[in-house]
């Protein structure tokens, strides 16, 4: 990783709101961009590393879900939470166009538009969690309530 780290939109949002964060960088592998590998590569506790999943419903509404690396979204709970009839992962080829982020570097902060964002409620049990910094190879350590504020999100139960 380069000695001088460029600030990402996610970092700028936290700084603008006066919210503290720490940056953790790691070597990423294009073959393994998932949150489990990111936590292992960065030497971080996978229970505290939260992945960002972007979904779209039948009316083309976009929703962002932030959940621990090992957790899985319950489609039924996601539909109930959003009032959607159907819910699918956003197509990989649409991810960057819609969010401004690529797979493996998608942060719940600083997307092109503000989408309804949900953070798995178990985050409240942790003093801090890690989320993508908006670029592959960058994780941000933040307090869950600070992430909630910065992402204009809400806590919810949406996992299996």
């Amino acid at each position: 990783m380069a000695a001088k780290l460029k600030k990402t939109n996610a970092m700028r949002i936290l700084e603008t709101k006066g919210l503290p964060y720490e940056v953790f960088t790691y070597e990423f592998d294009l073959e393994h961009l998932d949150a489990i590998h990111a936590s292992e590569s960065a030497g971080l506790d996978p229970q505290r590393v939260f992945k960002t999943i972007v979904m779209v419903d039948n009316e083309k509404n976009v929703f962002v879900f932030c959940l621990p690396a090992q957790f899985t979204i319950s489609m039924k709970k996601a539909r109930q939470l959003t009032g959607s009839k159907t819910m699918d992962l956003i197509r990989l080829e649409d991810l960057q166009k819609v969010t401004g982020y690529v797979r493996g570097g998608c942060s719940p902060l600083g997307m092109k538009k503000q989408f309804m964002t949900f953070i798995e409620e178990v985050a409240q049990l942790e003093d801090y969690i890690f989320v993508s910094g908006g670029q592959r190879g960058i994780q941000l350590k933040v307090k869950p309530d600070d992430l909630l504020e910065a992402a204009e999100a809400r806590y919810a139960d949406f996992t299996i």
Side-chain angles (χ1 to χ4, degrees):
M1 180 113 300
K4 185 167 169 73
L5 184 67
K6 284 179 62 177
K7 282 207 176 135
T8 65
N9 286 343
M11 293 175 200
R12 286 186 198 93
I13 287 169
L14 290 165
E15 288 176 8
T16 298
K17 293 183 176 283
L19 300 170
Y21 68 93
E22 288 181 53
V23 177
F24 288 77
T25 60
Y26 61 95
E27 292 295 322
F28 63 90
D29 172 0
L30 288 173
E31 297 296 315
H32 301 97
L33 293 172
D34 60 276
I36 298 282
H37 278 90
S39 65
E40 291 169 354
S41 298
L44 305 174
D45 179 355
Q47 291 184 13
R48 290 181 185 226
V49 174
F50 278 53
K51 59 188 172 185
T52 303
I53 304 292
V54 182
M55 303 190 83
V56 63
D57 73 4
N58 51 295
E59 296 180 4
K60 305 291 185 237
N61 296 308
V62 176
F63 300 96
V64 178
F65 296 88
C66 197
L67 61 154
Q70 321 93 314
F71 282 37
T72 302
I73 293 176
S74 160
M75 294 305 230
K76 181 179 179 182
K77 288 180 182 178
R79 286 191 309 270
Q80 289 173 338
L81 192 57
T82 61
S84 303
K85 288 183 182 168
T86 65
M87 183 75 65
D88 293 297
L89 284 172
I90 193 166
R91 294 182 351 200
L92 194 52
E93 57 267 21
D94 294 337
L95 182 65
Q96 188 170 14
K97 179 175 61 180
V98 172
T99 67
Y101 291 127
V102 295
R103 180 173 179 260
C106 189
S107 178
L109 298 169
M111 291 187 181
K112 285 183 173 184
K113 291 171 64 178
Q114 180 64 46
F115 299 111
M116 188 176 289
T117 302
F118 302 96
I119 300 170
E120 172 53 48
E121 63 187 11
V122 298
Q124 298 172 93
L125 302 175
E126 303 291 349
D127 293 334
Y128 60 87
I129 60 174
F130 297 90
V131 295
S132 173
Q135 188 177 310
R136 292 174 180 157
I138 298 176
Q139 289 285 312
L140 301 180
K141 178 181 176 181
V142 295
K143 293 179 184 173
D145 286 348
D146 289 349
L147 177 63
L148 188 82
E149 178 185 336
E152 298 178 28
R154 68 180 204 186
Y155 290 120
D157 168 22
F158 55 83
T159 57
I160 296 172

